[in-house]
Amino acid sequence: MSTVRKISKYKTLNGLVTRFRDDLKDDDSNFILLYAHNGVGKTRTSMEFKDKGKRLNNGNGDTLYFNAFTEDLFIWDNDLDSDIDRHLSLTSTSNFFAGFEALALEEKIFAYLERYANFDFRFDYENWKVRFSKNVQNPRYHPNNNQPEYIVQDNIKISRGEENLFKWCFFLALCELAIDDEEGTGPYSWVKYFYIDDPISSLDDNNAIAVATDLISLMRKAKGKIKVVISTHHSLFYNVLWNELRTEKPKRYFLYKNAQDNHSLQKTDDTPYFHHVALLSELKKAVEKGKVYSYHFNALRSILEKTASFFGQRDIKFCLNGIEDETLYNRALNLLSHGKYSIYQPVELTDDNKTLFKKILKDFLDKYEFDLPKLTA
């Protein structure tokens, strides 16, 4: 039996975020999980949600948010002149750093950071800077008992992934300050919502799971006081959140753009993996329009991998087993899905490869009989 899925369409982001705020007005509704592919407008939606709060509160914000704009509040300085004092500068004028000098902020940040990384940090409160250090083995020390000696490397350049982790842990510490402010007199007493957009850029899957786990603990701690919206394009991250929070009954949506370039919001209460099914609809739509690009092979292979994993199999060959041209299809998927194709610089396939893609997709859909949503309806 087909599942009826409600689709809501919005011509403006204001209408979309009004829907989110209305959802969260319910006392029993604390969390929204939003899945959307890159390029749909997740970051713009998070900023509109924040701006909507200001409009509703006479210019006073009500949303502590983490997105690409948040990351830009931290500015890296490599000290190109002396190559000595490498550090992160903090944008002192931002309300985000209202609790920069709050008691025990460093301890709160480090409590998260030590789970992900092995570097340390220290604040320069006077100059609004953060410097980093790391314990490394002394290459000149050779003790008789073979126990290595460690020395401190100071003012080090951390990797982009480590930098993103630090920013994320900083944000989590600020969230704790907002949640723990029982008297409503602290620097984040104005916070009524957390809006978190894709916090796991540059992270591997292990750290993505760890970030999701910490976030889940924080969300449960915030329950009843601060409402939370999370948007992401990362399927593993999304599904960890969904599975852990399912007893909390969060609102779950898939966000995409329809044929009129308006935003459509699809409820996904039936399954956390709905976005993979929605992507199949997008691939079918691309075939129908004759606009099949190189990155579509990557997307199709990804779906086959997740389908195989769902059945406990390790190889996409399982999904094509028994299909007449399975050898040809496997060879094509392995060959045409390994390029580093960008959705922002698409390369249209040749007519022969378009035909091949269409046949693979049709035979796959015929075999598994997915109930595809009509995304362009």
Side-chain angles (χ1 to χ4, degrees), residues 236-302:
L236 174 62
F237 182 70
Y238 178 89
N239 282 292
V240 171
L241 291 174
W242 188 92
N243 284 305
E244 289 297 321
L245 290 172
R246 60 194 310 166
T247 58
E248 308 288 348
K249 298 181 179 179
K251 300 285 187 178
R252 301 184 294 276
Y253 296 111
F254 177 78
L255 180 67
Y256 57 93
K257 287 189 175 181
N258 58 28
Q260 291 74 41
D261 203 35
N262 298 325
H263 283 91
S264 292
L265 198 65
Q266 170 78 59
K267 278 192 173 183
T268 63
D269 293 341
D270 49 347
T271 170
Y273 286 95
F274 171 76
H275 51 274
H276 301 313
V277 180
L279 182 55
L280 279 171
S281 276
E282 294 285 1
L283 296 182
K284 186 178 179 182
K285 182 174 67 175
V287 167
E288 292 170 352
K289 291 185 175 181
K291 296 293 185 180
V292 183
Y293 295 90
S294 45
Y295 65 84
H296 283 129
F297 261 107
N298 297 56
L300 181 56
R301 181 186 176 88
S302 176

Side-chain angles (χ1 to χ4, degrees), residues 65-330:
Y65 61 92
F66 185 92
N67 58 21
F69 287 91
T70 307
E71 294 182 348
D72 289 343
L73 297 175
F74 300 79
I75 304 169
W76 186 263
D77 186 344
N78 281 318
D79 187 21
L80 297 179
D81 292 333
S82 302
D83 196 28
I84 296 175
D85 185 21
R86 309 174 191 92
H87 60 267
L88 272 181
S89 293
L90 310 182
T91 306
S92 59
T93 55
S94 172
N95 203 31
F96 181 83
F97 296 110
F100 178 51
E101 297 181 282
L103 182 64
L105 185 58
E106 285 128 312
E107 287 84 351
K108 290 181 183 294
I109 295 173
F110 191 75
Y112 289 108
L113 187 63
E114 66 178 348
R115 306 176 198 180
Y116 310 126
N118 62 351
F119 62 87
D120 202 352
F121 67 93
R122 67 184 186 279
F123 288 149
D124 178 350
Y125 289 105
E126 183 177 351
N127 297 300
W128 289 76
K129 296 178 180 179
V130 187
R131 296 180 177 86
F132 300 92
S133 60
K134 181 179 292 188
N135 288 331
V136 298
Q137 187 173 338
N138 185 355
R140 298 181 180 180
Y141 185 71
H142 303 284
N144 294 329
N145 60 4
N146 292 322
Q147 292 296 319
E149 178 189 62
Y150 289 89
I151 57 175
V152 176
Q153 283 188 347
D154 205 6
N155 295 340
I156 62 171
K157 165 69 173 177
I158 58 176
S159 71
R160 181 58 59 86
E162 290 172 329
E163 183 181 335
N164 289 338
L165 278 172
F166 174 78
K167 296 172 184 178
W168 172 241
C169 294
F170 198 116
F171 174 76
L172 292 179
L174 300 188
C175 289
E176 278 202 29
L177 289 178
I179 295 170
D180 294 340
D181 184 13
E182 296 181 358
E183 297 181 359
T185 58
Y188 297 97
S189 60
W190 50 272
V191 177
K192 302 297 184 291
Y193 303 94
F194 297 146
Y195 200 120
I196 300 161
D197 174 50
D198 267 340
I200 56 170
S201 57
S202 302
L203 297 187
D204 58 27
D205 284 350
N206 288 333
N207 274 334
I209 294 173
V211 166
T213 301
D214 280 339
L215 182 54
I216 289 162
S217 297
L218 191 75
M219 291 171 69
R220 285 177 172 154
K221 189 177 180 182
K223 183 179 177 181
K225 181 176 182 180
I226 297 175
K227 309 284 187 167
V228 185
V229 183
I230 302 174
S231 57
T232 184
H233 75 286
H234 195 290
S235 58
L236 174 62
F237 182 70
Y238 178 89
N239 282 292
V240 171
L241 291 174
W242 188 92
N243 284 305
E244 289 297 321
L245 290 172
R246 60 194 310 166
T247 58
E248 308 288 348
K249 298 181 179 179
K251 300 285 187 178
R252 301 184 294 276
Y253 296 111
F254 177 78
L255 180 67
Y256 57 93
K257 287 189 175 181
N258 58 28
Q260 291 74 41
D261 203 35
N262 298 325
H263 283 91
S264 292
L265 198 65
Q266 170 78 59
K267 278 192 173 183
T268 63
D269 293 341
D270 49 347
T271 170
Y273 286 95
F274 171 76
H275 51 274
H276 301 313
V277 180
L279 182 55
L280 279 171
S281 276
E282 294 285 1
L283 296 182
K284 186 178 179 182
K285 182 174 67 175
V287 167
E288 292 170 352
K289 291 185 175 181
K291 296 293 185 180
V292 183
Y293 295 90
S294 45
Y295 65 84
H296 283 129
F297 261 107
N298 297 56
L300 181 56
R301 181 186 176 88
S302 176
I303 290 171
L304 264 65
E305 288 172 344
K306 290 175 175 61
T307 303
S309 178
F310 176 80
F311 286 103
Q313 303 294 322
R314 300 179 60 183
D315 199 296
I316 64 172
K317 291 180 180 179
F318 167 81
C319 298
L320 303 174
N321 185 36
I323 294 177
E324 182 178 355
D325 294 317
E326 65 175 291
T327 301
L328 171 63
Y329 290 177
N330 274 301

